[in-house]
Amino acid sequence: MKLYGSGNTPNPRKVKIVLAEKAVAYEMVEMNLREGEHKTPEFIQINPLGRVPVLEKDDGGFLTEAIAICRYLEALHPDPNLFGGNAHDLGVIEMHHSQIENDFWFQVRSSWKHSPVLAKMGYQVAPDARVISDANVNAYYEKLNKDLGDKEYLAVSRFTIADIILLVSLDFAIHYCGLKPDESLKNLWRWHCLISSRESVEEIS
């Protein structure tokens, strides 16, 4: 298999952590997004939407969209299980995944899209929108800190795709949006330290 991506950009990073967790061998094809390699006619033939990640399967077919690729890998390599092995776990993991994507990552993306970094690159930004999304991100940190309580993992009693999605989203917020959780949020930082120390995460960082 080949994985088309760019460094540790969020969506390819999710797939790379899953591949590492499942010890799946693959070839990494690095794309230079700043130079528009994902918009070339050659790449558009692979993914007409012109974005990464893309997984080239062993049969020569292609899959796009990070979670779709992760679900494919889960079906192909079911151990360790990351999406849930019974009805309860499936529901709880998907619930947390959906909440992170809709309530947290959406706000992080808004803060990025209206950031001074993109303004300097010539993109049109709305600083007032950034103020609102920043506040929403910080409010979600408070929620996460409360939800984690004394739990080791976010969704169930083991590492799952929900932890991967949250880690990738949180790290992007910290490193690219300057939205670092307050040090008083001990549960959130404890969780972040635990997940960041996993071999699958460390080896691609």
Side-chain angles (χ1 to χ4, degrees), residues 67-188:
I67 295 302
I69 294 170
C70 292
R71 290 190 183 279
Y72 169 79
L73 294 169
E74 177 90 343
L76 203 60
H77 303 278
D79 294 318
N81 178 279
L82 297 175
F83 281 87
N86 56 50
H88 174 268
D89 286 4
L90 281 165
V92 172
I93 292 166
E94 187 62 30
M95 176 184 73
H96 282 282
H97 168 209
S98 180
Q99 288 174 356
I100 297 162
E101 292 279 9
N102 295 327
D103 301 332
F104 181 53
W105 178 240
F106 178 84
Q107 299 297 332
V108 172
R109 286 184 63 193
S110 179
S111 289
W112 169 246
K113 288 181 178 179
H114 300 294
S115 67
V117 174
L118 292 192
K120 290 178 181 178
M121 295 171 62
Y123 290 92
Q124 185 175 3
V125 303
D128 289 345
R130 170 75 193 251
V131 171
I132 295 170
S133 59
D134 281 5
N136 289 334
V137 168
N138 284 304
Y140 203 84
Y141 287 158
E142 298 280 351
K143 176 187 182 300
L144 285 169
N145 190 66
K146 181 178 179 181
D147 289 347
L148 284 165
D150 58 357
K151 296 193 302 182
E152 277 195 303
Y153 302 102
L154 178 64
V156 294
S157 59
R158 57 186 175 80
F159 181 75
T160 69
I161 191 68
D163 295 292
I164 296 173
I165 302 301
L166 178 55
L167 177 72
V168 170
S169 302
L170 178 56
D171 282 349
F172 187 88
I174 293 171
H175 298 298
Y176 292 93
C177 301
L179 293 170
K180 184 178 180 181
D182 191 87
E183 295 295 337
S184 66
L185 302 178
K186 302 297 185 183
N187 296 329
L188 179 55

